[in-house]
Amino acid sequence: MARTINLSLILLFISCIPNLTTSYSLSTKSRWIVDEKGQRVKLACVNWPAHLQPAVAEGLSKQPLDSISKKIVSMGFNCVRLTWPLDLMTNDTLALKITVKQSFESLNLFDDVLGIQTHNPKILNLPIFNAFQEVVSNLGQNGLMVVLDNHLTYPGWCCSDNDLDAFFGYPNFDPVVWAKGLSKMATLFRNVTNVIGMSLRNEPRGTRDYPDLWFRFMPKGAEAVHAANPEVLVILSGIDFDTNLSFLRDRFFNVSFTDKLVFEQHWYSFSDGGDTWVKHNSNDICAKIIEKVTNNGGFLLDRGFPLILSEFGTDERGVDISGNRYMNCLVAWAAEKDLDWAVWALTGDYYLRTGTKHMVETYGVLDATWKNVRNSTYLQKLSGIQHPFRGPGLQDKKLLFHPHTGLCVTNNHSGNIPTLRLEQCTKSESSTFNPKEGVLWINKMCIETPDVAGEKVKLGVGTKCSNLGQISATKMHLSFKTNKGVLLCLDVDEGNNSIVANPCKCLTKDASCDPASQWFKVL
């Protein structure tokens, strides 16, 4: 393994970090993350990779660090999951003796050296670890919380089954060295108040991802972090690429602390196997996969533990049918459970990924300029789950959520006859739906459904409240029958975001249709 780093040398650099204007001290209260007053704090994070070969946060050759931080804020995120390689804490040379410039030049990334000289000259001649500190510091100056995620052992791309650092005991994953590295990182950021959590290891996996080894070593990493920095949340991932925490259902491990313990889970469309989302009817497969995700980790919420969906995402070019369908399903589940989360990824492109220079990250919320949003529709979808719906200190506002757009149903006050439309969830009026009664109320007014397909749904204009049923496996179709017995469902007119009635989509086993516009999640 790599040499152990000299902690005293790094401590000399901590004084370089400016005092932050915002102080965070988060803990857990049942399934919620809360502040010092016991009020809910929802983590709506974006992953910012800093674990690849240069061992420097991506994008700093394209835009000033402060501009990137401000862009993160402008997109509605309040948190960054910042990745780092263990080698940064176990190798003196990498952390303190190699500068940013030297790191890039050793990889023949000379154009990036020029870019950093232009946009971030302050960090060009800093040692790698100090550049990492600068990123954390600037995020804090812009009011952004940070979760430090130990992504892998040596700088590079992650993750495959046959990686040498895939699991405890693999050639490049010494659990003792790992725990020491975590402890050092926790110590170094102990007084940096915007560092609110540490994720112990990204995506444990491989042929040895046995729960017994997890139970043996993961608590030791947790204790090491907590002993070094009792203020941070300690975030534990599962096995099988962090898709599986089911082994905690019947067995739990003991640690010396309880109010800082958080779990994380990952979910991508490919986690569900190949072309699952295009082979099956979206209603059926969404319900089935949500059941699987719940059994593999979501159940921890009901056990009173916070769960962060710390990686998810899809190709934002809109060309991946599987990814598009999965995202609608995921956002519906994330809204229903009011999850904390971190989307993959901020990245517009990478300095160097698996030997390719400036590879574009199609999952990135920024484009390759690191200035512009890659897909505003995708970001709008995420905005619907950026704000909390419930939790300690919050009024429990019930809403009718539209996962496809990330918007909520509200009263359309324009026009002579009140109708319904979609609006930002923070601006939407309360709605309630009792499945037994089948009546949808929007701010104490019930809806009356039209008798003809394509017409707008009216609100509170008569004496009769329409009865709606929840059909399909997802229960996200709200349906009714017209006077002539025709089955219609609530839908959205994409031209003006008004709520209309249309024939119900995708109720057969047909896998070719997409019901997303007719999915409404009762929150």
Side-chain angles (χ1 to χ4, degrees):
M1 289 297 293
R3 294 164 294 172
T4 302
I5 197 166
N6 188 328
L7 183 59
S8 61
L9 290 177
I10 294 184
L11 290 172
L12 293 175
F13 294 103
I14 290 184
S15 60
C16 299
I17 299 180
N19 291 328
L20 303 173
T21 57
T22 304
S23 177
Y24 306 91
S25 181
L26 304 184
S27 58
T28 65
K29 184 177 182 180
S30 184
R31 60 143 294 186
W32 309 106
I33 295 172
V34 297
D35 61 18
E36 290 177 296
K37 297 180 181 179
Q39 297 188 333
R40 168 89 190 274
V41 175
K42 181 171 183 174
L43 302 183
C45 314
V46 63
N47 281 273
W48 190 351
H51 66 273
L52 279 81
Q53 278 183 284
V56 175
E58 302 291 335
L60 298 182
S61 64
K62 296 291 186 72
Q63 294 295 330
L65 170 57
D66 193 60
S67 296
I68 296 175
S69 294
K70 285 180 168 55
K71 188 67 177 179
I72 294 170
V73 174
S74 73
M75 292 187 292
F77 302 105
N78 64 6
C79 163
V80 167
R81 182 177 182 251
L82 185 65
T83 67
W84 59 280
L86 187 66
D87 206 27
L88 191 64
M89 287 291 98
T90 58
N91 185 337
D92 281 347
T93 301
L94 174 66
L96 298 177
K97 297 179 181 179
I98 295 177
T99 66
V100 170
K101 181 179 180 182
Q102 290 169 338
S103 178
F104 280 90
E105 288 179 342
S106 70
L107 297 166
N108 295 319
L109 299 174
F110 299 106
D111 56 338
D112 287 301
V113 172
L114 294 176
I116 293 173
Q117 176 67 59
T118 300
H119 298 294
N120 293 286
K122 180 180 178 181
I123 73 163
L124 187 61
N125 293 303
L126 288 180
I128 295 295
F129 179 73
N130 296 98
F132 189 83
Q133 286 178 309
E134 287 292 331
V135 172
V136 173
S137 173
N138 189 267
L139 291 170
Q141 292 170 42
N142 284 282
L144 288 162
M145 296 176 282
V146 173
V147 171
L148 300 176
D149 165 61
N150 175 224
H151 215 68
L152 72 182
T153 299
Y154 298 119
W157 182 244
C158 176
C159 304
S160 298
D161 273 314
N162 58 355
D163 289 340
L164 296 180
D165 64 351
F167 204 68
F168 299 113
Y170 273 49
N172 291 344
F173 194 174
D174 184 326
V176 175
V177 175
W178 165 73
K180 289 180 179 178
L182 290 176
S183 177
K184 289 170 185 175
M185 182 64 88
T187 298
L188 295 174
F189 285 96
R190 180 165 182 161
N191 296 315
V192 182
T193 55
N194 69 310
V195 174
I196 54 89
M198 285 188 59
S199 176
L200 302 191
R201 188 70 171 195
N202 182 69
E203 297 193 352
R205 61 205 177 277
T207 57
R208 302 184 203 172
D209 58 356
Y210 305 133
D212 285 346
L213 286 178
W214 190 96
F215 278 107
R216 180 179 176 185
F217 294 116
M218 195 63 78
K220 293 180 180 180
E223 294 286 7
V225 168
H226 185 70
N229 187 346
E231 290 300 312
V232 296
L233 301 172
V234 180
I235 305 170
L236 280 65
S237 59
I239 61 176
D240 195 16
F241 293 86
D242 196 15
T243 63
N244 188 1
L245 288 153
S246 63
F247 50 87
L248 293 173
R249 184 179 296 278
D250 301 317
R251 178 181 175 189
F252 208 77
F253 65 92
N254 294 318
V255 289
S256 61
F257 58 95
T258 56
D259 64 345
K260 297 287 184 178
L261 191 61
V262 178
F263 294 94
E264 63 179 329
Q265 187 173 5
H266 294 178
W267 179 16
Y268 291 100
S269 64
F270 49 79
S271 304
D272 307 320
D275 52 0
T276 295
W277 288 90
V278 295
K279 275 187 172 181
H280 301 278
N281 173 277
S282 290
N283 291 309
D284 295 338
I285 199 61
C286 177
K288 183 177 180 179
I289 298 300
I290 284 178
E291 182 180 8
K292 183 187 80 169
V293 172
T294 300
N295 289 335
N296 280 353
F299 69 91
L300 288 166
L301 297 169
D302 295 329
R303 296 280 182 92
F305 292 97
L307 178 70
I308 300 176
L309 188 63
S310 60
E311 279 192 32
F312 66 95
T314 194
D315 190 327
E316 293 183 38
R317 296 172 298 177
V319 296
D320 182 3
I321 296 175
S322 289
N324 295 340
R325 294 179 178 181
Y326 134 90
M327 275 298 296
N328 291 324
C329 181
L330 180 147
V331 170
W333 184 67
E336 179 187 24
K337 299 300 181 182
D338 204 359
L339 291 174
D340 300 276
W341 52 268
V343 67
W344 188 274
L346 178 67
T347 330
D349 65 353
Y350 297 95
Y351 305 122
L352 182 67
R353 174 176 157 180
T354 57
T356 301
K357 296 180 180 180
H358 299 293
M359 180 185 290
V360 171
E361 175 56 273
T362 59
Y363 281 45
V365 296
L366 295 179
D367 67 14
T369 68
W370 282 79
K371 183 179 181 180
N372 304 314
V373 172
R374 183 180 301 279
N375 185 330
S376 58
T377 301
Y378 183 86
L379 197 62
Q380 172 63 58
K381 188 193 299 283
L382 292 181
S383 74
I385 55 174
Q386 285 178 329
H387 299 279
F389 298 113
R390 64 185 72 89
L394 296 174
Q395 182 179 0
D396 191 3
K397 184 179 181 181
K398 297 186 180 299
L399 297 166
L400 188 60
F401 180 66
H402 190 245
H404 183 56
T405 59
L407 301 172
C408 288
V409 176
T410 194
N411 189 348
N412 185 5
H413 294 283
S414 62
N416 297 325
I417 300 176
T419 55
L420 297 175
R421 63 181 172 84
L422 295 178
E423 176 62 274
Q424 296 286 344
C425 293
T426 54
K427 300 178 182 178
S428 296
E429 294 170 299
S430 295
S431 65
T432 57
F433 177 74
N434 186 328
K436 292 183 179 180
E437 297 177 356
V439 179
L440 175 63
W441 299 86
I442 306 291
N443 196 23
K444 299 181 181 180
M445 301 176 71
C446 69
I447 70 166
E448 289 189 0
T449 51
D451 209 37
V452 179
E455 289 190 356
K456 292 182 179 180
V457 175
K458 299 176 182 179
L459 182 64
V461 296
T463 57
K464 182 181 177 182
C465 295
S466 297
N467 291 319
L468 301 177
Q470 290 179 298
I471 58 173
S472 78
T474 61
K475 296 185 178 180
M476 286 194 283
H477 280 87
L478 296 182
S479 68
F480 63 95
K481 285 188 176 181
T482 67
N483 292 331
K484 295 182 179 180
V486 177
L487 186 69
L488 298 178
C489 280
L490 300 192
D491 204 341
V492 175
D493 183 336
E494 295 183 1
N496 56 20
N497 275 348
S498 61
I499 306 302
V500 297
N502 278 321
C504 300
K505 297 179 181 178
C506 311
L507 299 185
T508 67
K509 295 297 182 181
D510 182 9
S512 64
C513 67
D514 185 358
S517 69
Q518 293 186 345
W519 276 358
F520 293 88
K521 173 60 70 173
V522 179
L523 304 182

